[in-house]
Amino acid sequence: MNAALGTAGITLGLAGSLVGAVTLAYGLVRHRPRLVGMAGVYALLIGLGALLAVFAMERALLTDDFSLTYVAEHSSTRTPLLFKVATLWAALEGSIILWAVVLAGYLGLVVRRFRTRLTDPMVGWALLTLFVIAAFFFWLMSGPANPFTEVAGAVPADGPGPNPLLQNHVLMAFHPPMLYLGYVGFSVPFAFAIAALVTGRLGEGWLLETRRWTLVAWGFLTVGIVLGAWWSYEVLGWGGYWGWDPVENASFLPWLTGTAYLHSVLVQERRGMLRVWNLSLLCATFALTILGTFLTRSGVIDSVHAFSESDIGPSLLAFFTLIVVVSVGLIGWRGDRLRSPGTIDSPLSREGAFLANNILFAAFAFVILLGTVFPLLIEAFNGDRISVGRPYFDRMTMPLGLAILTLMAVAPVLPWRKASGELLRHRLIWPAWSGAGVLVLAVVLGARGLAPLLAFFLAGVAGGAAVRQLVLATRRQGLQGFLGRANGGMVVHLGVVVIAVAFAASSSFAHEAEFRLSPGESAELAGHRVTYLGVETIEYPEKTALKARVQLDDGRIFAPALQQFPFATQSIGVPSVRTGLTEDIYLTLVAAPDDPAGEAVIGVLVMPLTVWLWVGGGLMALGTLLAAWPGRRRRPTDPVSAPVPEHRPAGRVPADEPSPEPVHALRGTAP
C-alpha cells in the first residue's frame, strides 16, 4: 500500500516535471502562450506527487511498515514518535523526498506570485528551469535513490532505528528542514538568473523581483546552520559547536556566496554595476547547494555528519557540472550586454565597501572550498587519503573574519559615491566610542591576547555603527524604522556581532579538564566545584542510559550519560550543560565506572558566553524577517498604469534610479 502510494507520487511528480518542462520549452521557443500558461497545472501535479510521496513515507514510518527497505533500515518500533517523523530526512532517500516537497512548495509559491504573468517569457523560462530541477530530483527517487523499494525476501519484524546521533535531540526535527528550506530556496533566484540570461532582460527588474526570495532562503539557511551548531554542541559531546567538518563547510559555502550576493546586489540596483558578478554569485550559490548535497549524501567523505552512503554521487556531480557549464556558457554568451554602465568613484564609498566585502567573502569561500575538496582531489589523482585539519581553517579564516568585521564597522556610515574625511569622522564617533567601551570592559574582565581583543574592539565598532543606523531610522520613522532592507540588515549585523564576540570568547578563554573521581569526591576548575555522586542505569524502550550524577557548586545536580542502543556497537555520549548568560559548564561522562562504587572520568569544560551564539542566531533571523517585510514598492515588472512619456525632460537620469524592466509578453497575449 505505502509502496504503491509512494511510487504513484513519484511517478506523478516525474511526469508533471518532465511534461511541464517539454511543454514550456516548446511553448517558449515556438511562441505559444497557451502552452506556457499551463505551467500552473504542471506545478500542481508536481506538488501533488511530492505530497503523496511524503504521505506514503510518513505513513510507512508511523505504522512500522518494514516491507519498505528505507523503513526497515532506518526506523524501529521503539523509536519515539518525534524521531519517527524526523526519520523521513534521516537518510539519503528520505532526504530527497524532503528536497522534492520543498521544491514543489517554492514552485507553487512562484506560480502563485506570478499567476497573472505566467506567459511572460521571463517567468516562463524561470519556471522551465525549476521544472528541470524538479525532474532531476524525481528521477533520482525513481531510480538511484528510490525510497519505496520493497524488502527482498522475508519482511523483518523490527529495524535498528535511526542513527543514535539522530535520535538524541529535538533539534533533529528542525535543523535539516531549515537547511533544506535554505538550500532549495536558492533555486528560485537561480531560475530567474537563468531566465534573465536567456531572454536578455538583464536590467535590474528581475533582481528586485527575486530579492526577497533570496533573502528568505538565506534566512532559512542561517537558522539551519545555527541550529546545526547548537545540535552539534548538545549532542556530539566534544564541547564545540563548529569543527570545520566537511558537511558543515558544505552548508557554509552557499551561505557565504549568498551573503556576498545580498550585499553586491545593492550596488547593481543603485548604480547598475556588478551585473556579471551578481549573476555569477547566484549561479554559484545554487551550484554549491548541489555540491553540498553531493558531499553530504554520496559517502565520498568521512564526517560525523555524513549519515548515508549511496551510488548517487555521479548523478549529483553530473548535475552540478551541468549547472556550472550552462551558467558559465550563458554568462559568456551575454557578455557584451552585461557590461556595467558605471564605475566606482571612490573606494571610500558604500559601493567601494560592498566590493571589498564581496572580495573578502569570495576569498573566504575559496579557502573553505579548497580545504574541503583538496583531500578528495588528492585521493582521486593518486589514491592517497589525507585530511585538512582545523588549524588550516582557523589560520586562514581568522584574518578574513577580522577584515569582514572591519568592513561591518565602516560600511554602514559610508554614503554612496564618495565620503569626505570630515563626514567619516562625524559618523564614526559613536561606533568608535562603542568599540573602545567594549575593549575596556573586556580587559577589565580579564580578556587577554591580540586576536580576541581586536575581535572585541571591531565587534564593538560594528555594533555601534548598526545601533547608530537604527537610532537614526527610528527617530525619523518610529518603530517603522526597524523595517526594510537597510534597517533589517543592521539587526542582522547586530546578530553577527553578538556571534563574533561569543565565538572569540568561547574559543579563546575556555577551560577544560578531565577528572577521575570516586563517588563523593570533588574537583575544581576555573572557580567551579564539581562533585561526583555516582551513577544510575535507566532503561528506555529504545535505549539504555548510564547516567552520572554530578553536583555543581550551586547545588544543582546534572546527569551526563552514556547511552547504548540495541543495534549500535558503541556507546553514545550525552553531555549535560549548565547554561548561563556569562558561561556554560559542559559536563560529560568520559568513562563509566566498572561498578557503582568505582571511579568515573568526568569531563568538565567551562566556556564563556556560549549562549550568545544562539541569541545572535535569533537576532539574525529577526533581522532577516524585518528586511524581508513587504514594503510599498511597486513590483518592477508590473505593467505601468500611466503611459510612458516619449521624451524625458532635458537632464541626466539620476544614477541611483533603478532602471525599470521592460514588460514583455508573448505574441498574442494580453498584458
Side-chain angles (χ1 to χ4, degrees):
M1 176 68 174
N2 294 316
L5 281 176
T7 303
I10 291 173
T11 305
L12 183 62
L14 180 61
S17 52
L18 284 177
V19 176
V22 172
T23 304
L24 256 67
Y26 184 79
L28 288 165
V29 173
R30 304 295 295 178
H31 303 287
R32 303 288 178 81
R34 186 180 63 81
L35 296 179
V36 180
M38 295 175 65
V41 176
Y42 298 112
L44 179 62
L45 294 179
I46 293 171
L48 289 175
L51 287 174
L52 189 55
V54 170
F55 171 76
M57 181 52 72
E58 288 293 4
R59 186 174 183 273
L61 291 167
L62 295 175
T63 59
D64 298 320
D65 181 2
F66 296 113
S67 67
L68 295 184
T69 303
Y70 186 82
V71 180
E73 292 181 350
H74 303 293
S75 187
S76 165
T77 56
R78 303 175 302 278
T79 304
L81 177 63
L82 177 67
F83 298 109
K84 276 193 179 182
V85 174
T87 300
L88 175 72
W89 48 83
L92 168 70
E93 294 85 354
S95 67
I96 302 295
I97 299 179
L98 179 62
W99 186 295
V101 76
V102 172
L103 180 60
Y106 277 115
L107 185 54
L109 290 175
V110 170
V111 170
R112 175 78 175 79
R113 168 72 173 167
F114 298 97
R115 60 191 179 282
T116 61
R117 309 195 53 76
L118 291 180
T119 56
D120 185 330
M122 170 74 83
V123 179
W125 280 103
L127 287 171
L128 171 59
T129 305
L130 291 172
F131 283 159
V132 171
I133 298 170
F136 172 73
F137 282 96
F138 276 103
W139 170 78
L140 284 181
M141 287 191 289
S142 68
N146 188 346
F148 296 102
T149 303
E150 295 186 87
V151 172
V155 175
D158 204 349
N163 185 304
L165 292 174
L166 300 181
Q167 49 179 321
N168 248 7
H169 201 283
V170 68
L171 285 177
M172 175 58 193
F174 303 99
H175 159 54
M178 286 292 169
L179 277 184
Y180 275 66
L181 284 166
Y183 274 166
V184 184
F186 283 123
S187 62
V188 177
F190 167 74
F192 275 90
I194 294 296
L197 288 166
V198 172
T199 59
R201 290 162 57 179
L202 298 165
E204 280 63 61
W206 71 274
L207 285 177
L208 300 177
E209 285 285 13
T210 58
R211 180 187 66 81
R212 191 167 291 126
W213 297 88
T214 311
L215 193 57
V216 169
W218 182 88
F220 278 124
L221 187 57
T222 301
V223 173
I225 290 173
V226 173
L227 290 183
W230 198 353
W231 172 85
S232 175
Y233 180 69
E234 294 276 356
V235 169
L236 295 183
W238 61 291
Y241 41 81
W242 191 266
W244 298 112
D245 181 89
V247 176
E248 293 172 346
N249 296 344
S251 65
F252 196 39
L253 284 168
W255 186 90
L256 286 170
T257 52
T259 306
Y261 170 78
L262 288 173
H263 287 86
S264 63
V265 71
L266 296 173
V267 179
Q268 183 173 345
E269 288 181 23
R270 294 292 296 257
R271 302 292 308 278
M273 295 184 288
L274 305 181
R275 291 177 174 173
V276 173
W277 179 246
N278 284 323
L279 284 164
S280 302
L281 281 177
L282 271 185
C283 296
T285 300
F286 180 68
L288 286 171
T289 65
I290 302 299
L291 182 65
T293 308
F294 165 74
L295 294 173
T296 309
R297 297 303 186 187
S298 65
V300 298
I301 56 173
D302 295 326
S303 164
V304 294
H305 293 78
F307 295 110
S308 61
E309 295 186 7
S310 72
D311 298 324
I312 69 167
S315 301
L316 287 169
L317 208 53
F319 192 55
F320 168 78
T321 305
L322 175 67
I323 291 168
V324 172
V325 169
V326 169
S327 301
V328 172
L330 285 174
I331 291 173
W333 178 48
R334 293 295 189 185
D336 290 341
R337 300 184 61 176
L338 289 171
R339 288 178 182 165
S340 299
T343 58
I344 292 178
D345 299 322
S346 167
L348 276 180
S349 62
R350 185 72 63 90
E351 54 268 48
F354 283 155
L355 181 60
N357 157 297
N358 269 238
I359 293 171
L360 289 174
F361 273 105
F364 211 128
F366 176 76
V367 164
I368 295 175
L369 182 64
L370 182 64
T372 304
V373 303
F374 188 69
L376 298 179
L377 296 176
I378 293 297
E379 186 175 355
F381 282 110
N382 60 18
D384 294 339
R385 293 180 69 89
I386 66 169
S387 62
V388 176
R390 180 165 187 162
Y392 161 82
F393 290 104
D394 287 344
R395 193 175 301 117
M396 297 295 288
T397 58
M398 185 178 68
L400 292 169
L402 292 174
I404 289 173
L405 270 180
T406 304
L407 275 179
M408 285 176 58
V410 176
V413 306
L414 288 173
W416 292 94
R417 291 193 176 279
K418 189 175 183 180
S420 66
E422 182 180 354
L423 182 142
L424 276 181
R425 283 194 298 275
H426 172 70
R427 293 185 175 181
L428 279 173
I429 287 178
W430 283 22
W433 277 111
S434 172
V438 171
L439 180 61
V440 170
L441 180 63
V443 172
V444 169
L445 292 177
R448 297 292 183 272
L450 178 61
L453 289 179
L454 183 57
F456 293 152
F457 171 72
L458 292 174
V461 179
V467 170
R468 174 186 176 276
Q469 170 75 19
L470 289 170
V471 168
L472 293 177
T474 51
R475 269 188 194 169
R476 291 191 300 266
Q477 307 170 51
L479 291 179
Q480 291 281 334
F482 283 99
L483 301 179
R485 179 169 33 178
N487 299 326
M490 289 303 101
V491 177
V492 173
H493 276 205
L494 286 177
V496 175
V497 165
V498 171
I499 288 177
V501 170
F503 181 82
S506 61
S507 59
S508 302
F509 306 114
H511 299 273
E512 183 176 13
E514 293 182 356
F515 301 103
R516 184 175 293 278
L517 301 172
S518 297
E521 286 187 336
S522 299
E524 292 194 2
L525 178 69
H528 296 284
R529 186 175 184 81
V530 177
T531 304
Y532 170 60
L533 301 178
V535 295
E536 58 181 346
T537 302
I538 301 177
E539 297 287 343
Y540 296 95
E542 75 280 11
K543 63 191 176 188
T544 301
L546 183 66
K547 293 189 175 181
R549 297 177 64 244
V550 180
Q551 185 180 43
L552 289 183
D553 35 22
D554 60 358
R556 294 170 60 189
I557 306 295
F558 292 82
L562 292 174
Q563 297 181 344
Q564 185 66 51
F565 290 78
F567 289 87
T569 56
Q570 294 184 335
S571 298
I572 305 298
V574 180
S576 184
V577 186
R578 190 187 80 177
T579 300
L581 292 177
T582 56
E583 65 182 9
D584 279 11
I585 301 180
Y586 191 95
L587 301 168
T588 53
L589 178 57
V590 179
D594 296 330
D595 57 76
E599 294 180 328
V601 179
I602 304 297
V604 184
L605 177 62
V606 181
M607 291 179 51
L609 304 185
T610 308
V611 71
W612 293 98
L613 290 165
W614 328 130
V615 174
L619 272 175
M620 292 180 72
L622 174 64
T624 305
L625 181 64
L626 295 174
W629 199 265
R632 296 178 180 176
R633 174 178 286 183
R634 179 181 64 82
R635 291 171 58 183
T637 53
D638 275 348
V640 294
S641 56
V644 179
E646 293 185 0
H647 302 287
R648 275 187 180 273
R652 187 170 174 269
V653 178
D656 59 353
E657 177 182 322
S659 303
E661 190 73 19
V663 178
H664 296 295
L666 286 175
R667 186 174 55 201
T669 61

mmCIF file with all atom_site columns, all heavy atoms in Angstrom, residues 655-668:
data_model
loop_
_atom_site.group_PDB
_atom_site.id
_atom_site.type_symbol
_atom_site.label_atom_id
_atom_site.label_alt_id
_atom_site.label_comp_id
_atom_site.label_asym_id
_atom_site.label_entity_id
_atom_site.label_seq_id
_atom_site.pdbx_PDB_ins_code
_atom_site.Cartn_x
_atom_site.Cartn_y
_atom_site.Cartn_z
_atom_site.occupancy
_atom_site.B_iso_or_equiv
_atom_site.pdbx_formal_charge
_atom_site.auth_seq_id
_atom_site.auth_comp_id
_atom_site.auth_asym_id
_atom_site.auth_atom_id
_atom_site.pdbx_PDB_model_num
ATOM 1   N N   . ALA A 1 655 ? 21.606 58.647 -11.345 1.00 0.00 ? 655 ALA A N   1
ATOM 2   C CA  . ALA A 1 655 ? 22.369 57.390 -11.458 1.00 0.00 ? 655 ALA A CA  1
ATOM 3   C C   . ALA A 1 655 ? 21.867 56.339 -10.505 1.00 0.00 ? 655 ALA A C   1
ATOM 4   O O   . ALA A 1 655 ? 22.045 55.156 -10.726 1.00 0.00 ? 655 ALA A O   1
ATOM 5   C CB  . ALA A 1 655 ? 23.839 57.680 -11.177 1.00 0.00 ? 655 ALA A CB  1
ATOM 6   N N   . ASP A 1 656 ? 21.210 56.750 -9.398  1.00 0.00 ? 656 ASP A N   1
ATOM 7   C CA  . ASP A 1 656 ? 20.784 55.753 -8.423  1.00 0.00 ? 656 ASP A CA  1
ATOM 8   C C   . ASP A 1 656 ? 19.345 55.308 -8.624  1.00 0.00 ? 656 ASP A C   1
ATOM 9   O O   . ASP A 1 656 ? 18.780 54.641 -7.778  1.00 0.00 ? 656 ASP A O   1
ATOM 10  C CB  . ASP A 1 656 ? 20.971 56.303 -7.004  1.00 0.00 ? 656 ASP A CB  1
ATOM 11  C CG  . ASP A 1 656 ? 20.181 57.572 -6.805  1.00 0.00 ? 656 ASP A CG  1
ATOM 12  O OD1 . ASP A 1 656 ? 19.608 58.074 -7.786  1.00 0.00 ? 656 ASP A OD1 1
ATOM 13  O OD2 . ASP A 1 656 ? 20.158 58.043 -5.662  1.00 0.00 ? 656 ASP A OD2 1
ATOM 14  N N   . GLU A 1 657 ? 18.744 55.681 -9.751  1.00 0.00 ? 657 GLU A N   1
ATOM 15  C CA  . GLU A 1 657 ? 17.373 55.263 -10.011 1.00 0.00 ? 657 GLU A CA  1
ATOM 16  C C   . GLU A 1 657 ? 17.381 53.911 -10.698 1.00 0.00 ? 657 GLU A C   1
ATOM 17  O O   . GLU A 1 657 ? 17.997 53.748 -11.752 1.00 0.00 ? 657 GLU A O   1
ATOM 18  C CB  . GLU A 1 657 ? 16.686 56.292 -10.911 1.00 0.00 ? 657 GLU A CB  1
ATOM 19  C CG  . GLU A 1 657 ? 15.275 55.899 -11.302 1.00 0.00 ? 657 GLU A CG  1
ATOM 20  C CD  . GLU A 1 657 ? 14.667 56.941 -12.222 1.00 0.00 ? 657 GLU A CD  1
ATOM 21  O OE1 . GLU A 1 657 ? 14.932 58.122 -11.998 1.00 0.00 ? 657 GLU A OE1 1
ATOM 22  O OE2 . GLU A 1 657 ? 13.967 56.565 -13.152 1.00 0.00 ? 657 GLU A OE2 1
ATOM 23  N N   . PRO A 1 658 ? 16.724 52.892 -10.143 1.00 0.00 ? 658 PRO A N   1
ATOM 24  C CA  . PRO A 1 658 ? 16.713 51.584 -10.796 1.00 0.00 ? 658 PRO A CA  1
ATOM 25  C C   . PRO A 1 658 ? 16.041 51.656 -12.159 1.00 0.00 ? 658 PRO A C   1
ATOM 26  O O   . PRO A 1 658 ? 15.013 52.310 -12.319 1.00 0.00 ? 658 PRO A O   1
ATOM 27  C CB  . PRO A 1 658 ? 15.912 50.706 -9.831  1.00 0.00 ? 658 PRO A CB  1
ATOM 28  C CG  . PRO A 1 658 ? 15.850 51.450 -8.558  1.00 0.00 ? 658 PRO A CG  1
ATOM 29  C CD  . PRO A 1 658 ? 15.979 52.883 -8.905  1.00 0.00 ? 658 PRO A CD  1
ATOM 30  N N   . SER A 1 659 ? 16.643 51.022 -13.132 1.00 0.00 ? 659 SER A N   1
ATOM 31  C CA  . SER A 1 659 ? 16.063 51.009 -14.459 1.00 0.00 ? 659 SER A CA  1
ATOM 32  C C   . SER A 1 659 ? 14.853 50.104 -14.467 1.00 0.00 ? 659 SER A C   1
ATOM 33  O O   . SER A 1 659 ? 14.956 48.929 -14.119 1.00 0.00 ? 659 SER A O   1
ATOM 34  C CB  . SER A 1 659 ? 17.086 50.496 -15.469 1.00 0.00 ? 659 SER A CB  1
ATOM 35  O OG  . SER A 1 659 ? 18.241 51.292 -15.412 1.00 0.00 ? 659 SER A OG  1
ATOM 36  N N   . PRO A 1 660 ? 13.665 50.603 -14.852 1.00 0.00 ? 660 PRO A N   1
ATOM 37  C CA  . PRO A 1 660 ? 12.509 49.723 -14.882 1.00 0.00 ? 660 PRO A CA  1
ATOM 38  C C   . PRO A 1 660 ? 12.673 48.661 -15.953 1.00 0.00 ? 660 PRO A C   1
ATOM 39  O O   . PRO A 1 660 ? 13.170 48.935 -17.045 1.00 0.00 ? 660 PRO A O   1
ATOM 40  C CB  . PRO A 1 660 ? 11.349 50.675 -15.194 1.00 0.00 ? 660 PRO A CB  1
ATOM 41  C CG  . PRO A 1 660 ? 11.981 51.849 -15.848 1.00 0.00 ? 660 PRO A CG  1
ATOM 42  C CD  . PRO A 1 660 ? 13.353 51.970 -15.288 1.00 0.00 ? 660 PRO A CD  1
ATOM 43  N N   . GLU A 1 661 ? 12.297 47.449 -15.608 1.00 0.00 ? 661 GLU A N   1
ATOM 44  C CA  . GLU A 1 661 ? 12.419 46.334 -16.539 1.00 0.00 ? 661 GLU A CA  1
ATOM 45  C C   . GLU A 1 661 ? 11.331 46.436 -17.590 1.00 0.00 ? 661 GLU A C   1
ATOM 46  O O   . GLU A 1 661 ? 10.168 46.663 -17.279 1.00 0.00 ? 661 GLU A O   1
ATOM 47  C CB  . GLU A 1 661 ? 12.251 45.034 -15.768 1.00 0.00 ? 661 GLU A CB  1
ATOM 48  C CG  . GLU A 1 661 ? 12.577 43.802 -16.551 1.00 0.00 ? 661 GLU A CG  1
ATOM 49  C CD  . GLU A 1 661 ? 14.059 43.665 -16.746 1.00 0.00 ? 661 GLU A CD  1
ATOM 50  O OE1 . GLU A 1 661 ? 14.826 44.299 -16.001 1.00 0.00 ? 661 GLU A OE1 1
ATOM 51  O OE2 . GLU A 1 661 ? 14.463 42.933 -17.639 1.00 0.00 ? 661 GLU A OE2 1
ATOM 52  N N   . PRO A 1 662 ? 11.662 46.340 -18.870 1.00 0.00 ? 662 PRO A N   1
ATOM 53  C CA  . PRO A 1 662 ? 10.610 46.344 -19.876 1.00 0.00 ? 662 PRO A CA  1
ATOM 54  C C   . PRO A 1 662 ? 9.698  45.156 -19.693 1.00 0.00 ? 662 PRO A C   1
ATOM 55  O O   . PRO A 1 662 ? 10.138 44.063 -19.351 1.00 0.00 ? 662 PRO A O   1
ATOM 56  C CB  . PRO A 1 662 ? 11.384 46.253 -21.196 1.00 0.00 ? 662 PRO A CB  1
ATOM 57  C CG  . PRO A 1 662 ? 12.695 45.662 -20.833 1.00 0.00 ? 662 PRO A CG  1
ATOM 58  C CD  . PRO A 1 662 ? 12.982 46.132 -19.448 1.00 0.00 ? 662 PRO A CD  1
ATOM 59  N N   . VAL A 1 663 ? 8.418  45.363 -19.858 1.00 0.00 ? 663 VAL A N   1
ATOM 60  C CA  . VAL A 1 663 ? 7.457  44.302 -19.671 1.00 0.00 ? 663 VAL A CA  1
ATOM 61  C C   . VAL A 1 663 ? 7.114  43.727 -21.030 1.00 0.00 ? 663 VAL A C   1
ATOM 62  O O   . VAL A 1 663 ? 6.570  44.400 -21.891 1.00 0.00 ? 663 VAL A O   1
ATOM 63  C CB  . VAL A 1 663 ? 6.195  44.831 -18.986 1.00 0.00 ? 663 VAL A CB  1
ATOM 64  C CG1 . VAL A 1 663 ? 5.180  43.723 -18.839 1.00 0.00 ? 663 VAL A CG1 1
ATOM 65  C CG2 . VAL A 1 663 ? 6.552  45.412 -17.637 1.00 0.00 ? 663 VAL A CG2 1
ATOM 66  N N   . HIS A 1 664 ? 7.469  42.484 -21.239 1.00 0.00 ? 664 HIS A N   1
ATOM 67  C CA  . HIS A 1 664 ? 7.217  41.815 -22.499 1.00 0.00 ? 664 HIS A CA  1
ATOM 68  C C   . HIS A 1 664 ? 6.180  40.737 -22.293 1.00 0.00 ? 664 HIS A C   1
ATOM 69  O O   . HIS A 1 664 ? 6.047  40.174 -21.242 1.00 0.00 ? 664 HIS A O   1
ATOM 70  C CB  . HIS A 1 664 ? 8.498  41.167 -23.027 1.00 0.00 ? 664 HIS A CB  1
ATOM 71  C CG  . HIS A 1 664 ? 9.563  42.164 -23.344 1.00 0.00 ? 664 HIS A CG  1
ATOM 72  N ND1 . HIS A 1 664 ? 9.447  43.097 -24.327 1.00 0.00 ? 664 HIS A ND1 1
ATOM 73  C CD2 . HIS A 1 664 ? 10.770 42.371 -22.773 1.00 0.00 ? 664 HIS A CD2 1
ATOM 74  C CE1 . HIS A 1 664 ? 10.546 43.841 -24.374 1.00 0.00 ? 664 HIS A CE1 1
ATOM 75  N NE2 . HIS A 1 664 ? 11.364 43.404 -23.429 1.00 0.00 ? 664 HIS A NE2 1
ATOM 76  N N   . ALA A 1 665 ? 5.453  40.444 -23.294 1.00 0.00 ? 665 ALA A N   1
ATOM 77  C CA  . ALA A 1 665 ? 4.564  39.297 -23.277 1.00 0.00 ? 665 ALA A CA  1
ATOM 78  C C   . ALA A 1 665 ? 4.718  38.574 -24.600 1.00 0.00 ? 665 ALA A C   1
ATOM 79  O O   . ALA A 1 665 ? 5.151  39.139 -25.597 1.00 0.00 ? 665 ALA A O   1
ATOM 80  C CB  . ALA A 1 665 ? 3.119  39.728 -23.073 1.00 0.00 ? 665 ALA A CB  1
ATOM 81  N N   . LEU A 1 666 ? 4.418  37.321 -24.571 1.00 0.00 ? 666 LEU A N   1
ATOM 82  C CA  . LEU A 1 666 ? 4.497  36.563 -25.814 1.00 0.00 ? 666 LEU A CA  1
ATOM 83  C C   . LEU A 1 666 ? 3.504  37.084 -26.825 1.00 0.00 ? 666 LEU A C   1
ATOM 84  O O   . LEU A 1 666 ? 2.488  37.663 -26.489 1.00 0.00 ? 666 LEU A O   1
ATOM 85  C CB  . LEU A 1 666 ? 4.218  35.087 -25.523 1.00 0.00 ? 666 LEU A CB  1
ATOM 86  C CG  . LEU A 1 666 ? 5.345  34.344 -24.825 1.00 0.00 ? 666 LEU A CG  1
ATOM 87  C CD1 . LEU A 1 666 ? 4.873  32.948 -24.511 1.00 0.00 ? 666 LEU A CD1 1
ATOM 88  C CD2 . LEU A 1 666 ? 6.577  34.311 -25.667 1.00 0.00 ? 666 LEU A CD2 1
ATOM 89  N N   . ARG A 1 667 ? 3.808  36.873 -28.071 1.00 0.00 ? 667 ARG A N   1
ATOM 90  C CA  . ARG A 1 667 ? 2.951  37.333 -29.143 1.00 0.00 ? 667 ARG A CA  1
ATOM 91  C C   . ARG A 1 667 ? 1.539  36.800 -28.948 1.00 0.00 ? 667 ARG A C   1
ATOM 92  O O   . ARG A 1 667 ? 1.318  35.621 -28.745 1.00 0.00 ? 667 ARG A O   1
ATOM 93  C CB  . ARG A 1 667 ? 3.540  36.858 -30.464 1.00 0.00 ? 667 ARG A CB  1
ATOM 94  C CG  . ARG A 1 667 ? 2.827  37.399 -31.676 1.00 0.00 ? 667 ARG A CG  1
ATOM 95  C CD  . ARG A 1 667 ? 3.587  36.978 -32.904 1.00 0.00 ? 667 ARG A CD  1
ATOM 96  N NE  . ARG A 1 667 ? 3.763  35.540 -32.962 1.00 0.00 ? 667 ARG A NE  1
ATOM 97  C CZ  . ARG A 1 667 ? 4.706  34.942 -33.675 1.00 0.00 ? 667 ARG A CZ  1
ATOM 98  N NH1 . ARG A 1 667 ? 5.561  35.653 -34.352 1.00 0.00 ? 667 ARG A NH1 1
ATOM 99  N NH2 . ARG A 1 667 ? 4.785  33.639 -33.707 1.00 0.00 ? 667 ARG A NH2 1
ATOM 100 N N   . GLY A 1 668 ? 0.570  37.718 -28.999 1.00 0.00 ? 668 GLY A N   1
ATOM 101 C CA  . GLY A 1 668 ? -0.820 37.303 -28.929 1.00 0.00 ? 668 GLY A CA  1
ATOM 102 C C   . GLY A 1 668 ? -1.368 37.237 -27.534 1.00 0.00 ? 668 GLY A C   1
ATOM 103 O O   . GLY A 1 668 ? -2.519 36.849 -27.362 1.00 0.00 ? 668 GLY A O   1
#
